[in-house]
Amino acid sequence: MRHFGHIAPEVRQRLFHREPCEFTADSPARLLAVALGATLYSPATRPRLADDIVKQTGRGVVSMVLCLEDSIGDEDVADAEENLVRQFTELAAGPATDLPLLFIRVRVPEQIPDLVRRLGPAVRLLSGFVLPKFTEERGIPFLEAMANAEADSGRRLFGMPVLESPELLYRESRVETLEGISRAVDKYRDRVLALRLGVTDFCSSYGLRRAPDMTAYDVQVVASVIADVVNMLGRADGTGFTVTGPVWEYFRVQERMFKPQLRRSPFLDGQAEELREALLEHAMDGLLREISLDRANGLLGKTCIHPSHVLPVHALSVVSHEEFSDAQDILRPERCGGGVLRSAYTNKMNEVKPHRAWAERTVLRAEVFGVANEDIGFVELLAAGIPG
């Protein structure tokens, strides 16, 4: 699979200075953590789930979570588990084709070995599990169950803890909770692919819900915990993990209170005014702003609950030609001693030692999402990726 692999090769050639790389579920964890991109959630109760997965693959989805937790009722868990096993079996028996990285969001640790056993040979399609309401105390049993299931099945399985508990949100318990989470994920580092943020649960602790013209960063109680999670768990010194962006809840707006946040000029330049209007109609200007703020705050990828959110996440994950040029200059072997240089675009200072970690992350993102041609922006990437 590859990002933007659903669009024609000749279109990719026009868009990209360097095209996104190909990868599989067996690729190195460091690459897969970045490649997650927009992770699309789907309730495990969907009767045609196998068809849905194949359909979304054709639309550019590369990672999906099949949910047995909050998206379904307590009374539906047993039927959802049975449906999951049946749908995985159907996928495994179907024609060989690229499928997204598939994860199951469980409720309790005991579901992990049980589902792996019931999946049988179809477990080869499973990349791992999403672990809800993760703290050190609650999380260790999940990670132990996953390690045992991996040993029994012979299939490499990754965990993605969801950081969403009230203990993490509340100021008086936050540092202690983060320290515990850090100990747990560090102990099982080889099995933790990424950390996910449960911002909806954070908001629920205070009876809050952000409007479609607000981002998670406008809700200060939420912004503060995101900052602390990145501070302690997202460091670039080799101790950190990929932390993914929070879910965007909206996909259509009936009434708007504030002025649209999406500038008109990039769309006029790209002759895509109709695309801009469609994005505004479906609350995408708020989503695009939040994705940009995710990146600025050290998050990569995003939890998505609607297929229309996937392409904007991926389009804004592509490395610009200017970013790539700067990163390459900073990482040149002859620059290892440090120093300051003017960018090739002559519009900024590149300071080799302070900017090195940024450059290394940018080059890895460029490998996964590609590098846009010099005259290509996110508008062109969005327009090219929309199914005809």
Side-chain angles (χ1 to χ4, degrees):
M1 70 190 91
R2 71 195 304 177
H3 283 287
F4 297 93
H6 65 299
I7 64 178
E10 62 272 16
V11 178
R12 287 203 306 270
Q13 189 173 12
R14 176 176 60 82
L15 294 174
F16 289 99
H17 172 69
R18 291 195 178 186
E19 291 192 23
C21 71
E22 293 185 345
F23 58 92
T24 72
D26 297 317
S27 293
R30 181 169 176 265
L31 186 143
L32 291 181
V34 176
L36 287 167
T39 301
L40 183 64
Y41 275 54
S42 177
T45 51
R46 291 180 68 88
R48 299 185 62 84
L49 188 57
D51 291 340
D52 292 342
I53 291 169
V54 173
K55 179 180 178 181
Q56 295 307 327
T57 304
R59 294 182 173 182
V61 172
V62 303
S63 64
M64 290 186 70
V65 172
L66 314 174
C67 186
L68 293 168
E69 208 222 1
D70 286 348
S71 69
I72 66 172
D74 297 344
E75 69 280 4
D76 295 325
V77 173
D79 288 343
E81 289 178 344
E82 185 178 336
N83 185 55
L84 262 187
V85 173
R86 184 169 57 251
Q87 302 291 337
F88 264 83
T89 302
E90 181 181 329
L91 281 172
T97 183
D98 286 339
L99 293 173
L101 304 171
L102 297 176
F103 300 85
I104 298 173
R105 182 175 181 175
V106 290
R107 293 183 171 215
V108 294
E110 293 75 20
Q111 287 177 298
I112 292 174
D114 180 58
L115 285 168
V116 167
R117 177 185 57 79
R118 291 163 66 183
L119 284 171
V123 76
R124 65 181 176 82
L125 302 181
L126 181 65
S127 288
F129 294 90
V130 174
L131 316 176
K133 299 172 178 60
F134 193 94
T135 62
E136 182 179 28
E137 181 181 0
R138 288 194 292 268
I140 289 289
F142 281 107
L143 293 168
E144 289 175 344
M146 203 176 62
N148 292 334
E150 179 181 287
D152 291 342
S153 67
R155 171 67 182 164
R156 182 180 72 167
L157 298 170
F158 289 115
M160 291 200 289
V162 185
L163 310 186
E164 56 187 346
S165 66
E167 300 99 311
L168 181 59
L169 182 62
Y170 299 152
R171 180 183 291 274
E172 67 271 20
S173 55
R174 182 178 305 170
V175 172
E176 182 181 355
T177 303
L178 278 169
E179 288 173 343
I181 291 169
S182 180
R183 286 190 296 267
V185 296
D186 188 60
K187 181 179 178 181
Y188 290 88
R189 177 171 293 273
D190 291 344
R191 290 189 173 87
V192 175
L193 189 61
L195 306 177
R196 312 200 72 88
L197 287 166
V199 165
T200 301
D201 279 44
F202 290 158
C203 288
S204 76
S205 295
Y206 288 90
L208 304 174
R209 186 174 190 178
R210 68 190 190 277
D213 40 17
M214 296 282 182
T215 72
Y217 302 94
D218 295 312
V219 184
Q220 290 301 298
V221 70
V222 169
S224 69
V225 74
I226 293 175
D228 287 344
V229 167
V230 174
N231 190 323
M232 293 188 66
L233 299 171
R235 298 176 186 179
D237 60 0
T239 67
F241 295 82
T242 293
V243 182
T244 66
V247 69
W248 182 256
E249 298 178 351
Y250 296 95
F251 41 91
R252 192 171 183 88
V253 175
Q254 302 301 326
E255 185 177 359
R256 181 181 295 275
M257 181 180 296
F258 297 111
K259 182 178 180 180
Q261 304 169 83
L262 202 56
R263 291 189 303 116
R264 186 181 301 271
S265 54
F267 292 86
L268 293 176
D269 293 343
Q271 297 183 329
E273 179 67 11
E274 288 185 6
L275 173 58
R276 179 179 182 271
E277 293 303 319
L279 292 171
L280 292 178
E281 181 183 356
H282 291 84
M284 295 297 185
D285 55 326
L287 170 61
L288 292 169
R289 181 167 176 261
E290 186 166 282
I291 296 167
S292 298
L293 289 169
D294 287 342
R295 178 75 40 74
N297 285 277
L299 310 184
L300 185 61
K302 203 164 186 66
T303 295
C304 295
I305 46 84
H306 195 273
S308 64
H309 299 168
V310 171
L311 183 56
V313 174
H314 292 169
L316 285 174
S317 297
V318 173
V319 173
S320 71
H321 188 273
E322 181 175 346
E323 287 178 306
F324 189 65
S325 173
D326 288 337
Q328 281 192 310
D329 282 348
I330 290 164
L331 295 176
R332 291 188 192 282
E334 63 270 24
R335 304 288 185 191
C336 62
V340 178
L341 57 148
R342 184 176 64 173
S343 74
Y345 276 70
T346 69
N347 61 357
K348 72 176 75 64
M349 172 194 75
N350 288 328
E351 194 168 353
V352 174
K353 288 185 177 179
H355 290 145
R356 186 173 188 84
W358 168 86
E360 289 171 346
R361 285 187 170 187
T362 299
V363 167
L364 181 56
R365 181 161 55 92
E367 182 179 357
V368 172
F369 289 99
V371 179
N373 271 321
E374 195 167 358
D375 59 342
I376 296 296
F378 79 93
V379 173
E380 289 83 4
L381 292 162
L382 278 173
I386 295 173

